Amino acid sequence: MSAPRTTGSAPTFRAFESTSRLQSREQTIEERYGIPENFLEIEVRNPQTHGFGRKMYTDYEVICRTNIPAFKLKQSSVRRRYSDFEWFRDVLERESTRVNIPPLPGKVFTNRFSDEVVEQRREGLERFLQIVAGHPLLQTGSKVLAAFIQDPNFNKESYNY
């Protein structure tokens, strides 16, 4: 900030005098309300628990809406289990040594199918995917990111990791 000028009474500041010379223009309706240049929305929702006894598991619907070229589909919906997310995170860590991959929500051993636990896990998985899918280096460098998020026929056995 500039030093204050004194004119006999209170000091005045000149820090923002030059901003009045900037040209401003109104945004168009398209700029204000149109689709952003690049957008990515990832949502994890609709948990469903399957099986009985020791064979129970919960899977989650992963919804993706985007116009980023790294993703083949503008809109997609797939279902993934927590074990799929664990595999995916491991692959990302091996693929991307320059990117710090965020943690998954922790393993739960008691009441893991209670509504509260399932909801906490859903929120954690959503945060994880939003961070990972939004990372520019992973968007362009990962061989599994787009498939994991968008391909309903995704199969971890088809990837050699």
Side-chain angles (χ1 to χ4, degrees):
M1 184 151 54
S2 305
R5 285 189 293 186
T6 53
T7 56
S9 58
T12 59
F13 290 88
R14 298 186 309 179
F16 300 105
E17 281 180 9
S18 62
T19 60
S20 63
R21 288 182 240 134
L22 295 175
Q23 296 294 317
S24 66
R25 88 176 163 79
E26 284 288 314
Q27 282 185 315
T28 67
I29 295 290
E30 289 78 23
E31 289 170 334
R32 208 175 282 169
Y33 299 108
I35 295 173
E37 190 173 317
N38 284 322
F39 76 92
L40 174 65
E41 297 172 359
I42 301 276
E43 187 181 353
V44 176
R45 66 179 190 192
N46 192 16
Q48 294 178 355
T49 300
H50 308 272
F52 296 98
R54 295 169 110 15
K55 300 219 182 258
M56 284 180 70
Y57 67 92
T58 301
D59 65 11
Y60 303 83
E61 184 179 18
V62 176
I63 305 288
C64 178
R65 289 179 287 280
T66 186
N67 64 357
I68 295 175
F71 297 93
K72 293 175 178 59
L73 303 171
K74 301 277 183 227
Q75 292 189 8
S76 63
S77 170
V78 297
R79 296 202 70 84
R80 300 287 181 254
R81 298 172 60 160
Y82 183 81
S83 60
D84 296 331
F85 279 89
E86 289 179 310
W87 175 89
F88 176 56
R89 186 182 183 284
D90 288 346
V91 169
L92 288 177
E93 278 198 319
R94 279 183 262 146
E95 268 187 346
S96 320
T97 55
R98 299 183 307 162
V99 178
N100 189 11
I101 307 299
L104 289 170
K107 278 264 188 201
V108 177
F109 297 100
T110 57
N111 297 328
R112 66 183 191 158
F113 298 108
S114 72
D115 290 347
E116 182 180 320
V117 169
V118 168
E119 175 58 17
Q120 286 175 343
R121 179 169 274 182
R122 184 205 65 74
E123 289 172 3
L125 293 173
E126 183 174 87
R127 263 192 315 277
F128 168 81
L129 271 188
Q130 288 171 344
I131 292 167
V132 166
H135 197 291
L137 289 177
L138 295 177
Q139 286 175 4
T140 57
S142 175
K143 294 181 180 89
V144 298
L145 174 65
F148 183 82
I149 291 174
Q150 294 193 313
D151 185 356
N153 300 314
F154 173 80
N155 179 350
K156 25 187 196 196
E157 281 73 41
S158 63
Y159 290 89
N160 300 327
Y161 290 100

